[in-house]
Amino acid sequence: MKPLVLQSDFGYVDGAVSAMYGVATGVHPELRIHDVTHNIPPYDIWEGSYRLAQVVSYWPGGTVFVSVVDPGVGSDRLSVVARTSTGHYVVTPNNGTLTHIEKLFGIEELREIDEHFNRREGSAHSYTFHGRDIYAFTGARLASGTITYEQVGPSREVSELVTLPVLAPKIEGNALTGTIDAHDNRYGSLWTSIPRTFFEEAGICHGDYVRLTITHNGQTVHATSLVYAPSFAHVEVGESLIYVNSLDRVAVAINRGSYANAFHLGRGNSWHVAFEKVEK
């Protein structure tokens, strides 16, 4: 018996999430069911992909994740279960949701869900709630040990995995470049793709000032110099800083404020960042 962890863009304003819980519990009443989040913005596959990668490595090996951000439900997109190099399983449409997990951790095997065998009884004529009828059902069967991974369905080539375009961070001369991959949604920090080790390679230490430039679709929309600090406590309330987030990536924030809202900044591959040490 392994944990079952659910994620979706369903929100909590109706019974969709509860229905998924009900189907999973019906497979095995002793299943331990948990959530990543159900507040992924509607249809936002990129955000769903990032949030999975944010948490997967903290769960025990064998944990089964079900991620349903599925604007193509009812189309010919595949339903799959991926086995990651970390020993976890992800049940999801093959639509890009596995992008960041594949990039950061690796995927060792991919199986297409046999929807005749792994589908909630009585749902054959339902085409719009695969999260309940196929993904929650299959995830619960796999987590409970009702089926093995091999019984999910036929093996597919990992090369068939659909991924979203991801730009690798780079060191270009004195500049460290990357993208704003996500916001720390509750607090409005900018989480970039640039690893902490890039700052070390560039000789940027705590207390140094760093020039930040943000471009969107090639146009500069924000530029300033900020201090690189260990934590929010090292700057005054309302002051901005550069810090290292919980994923060991460089981030930008306002102490007790929202950097994203203050400067109207988004996230994704069209939002680029560059950091350069301000020489004294």
Side-chain angles (χ1 to χ4, degrees), residues 70-86:
D70 193 15
V73 63
S75 69
D76 60 358
R77 59 95 184 97
L78 293 181
S79 298
V80 298
V81 182
R83 181 166 59 86
T84 74
S85 299
T86 53

Side-chain angles (χ1 to χ4, degrees), residues 4-14 16-21 33-42 47 51 66-69 129 131 136:
L4 179 66
V5 185
L6 307 181
Q7 172 180 276
S8 76
D9 59 351
F10 296 158
Y12 291 100
V13 295
D14 60 21
V17 174
S18 181
M20 291 175 69
Y21 266 74
I33 308 173
H34 312 271
D35 299 301
V36 179
T37 177
H38 293 286
N39 288 324
I40 299 295
E47 182 81 0
R51 296 307 170 189
V66 171
S67 181
V68 190
V69 183
F129 200 173

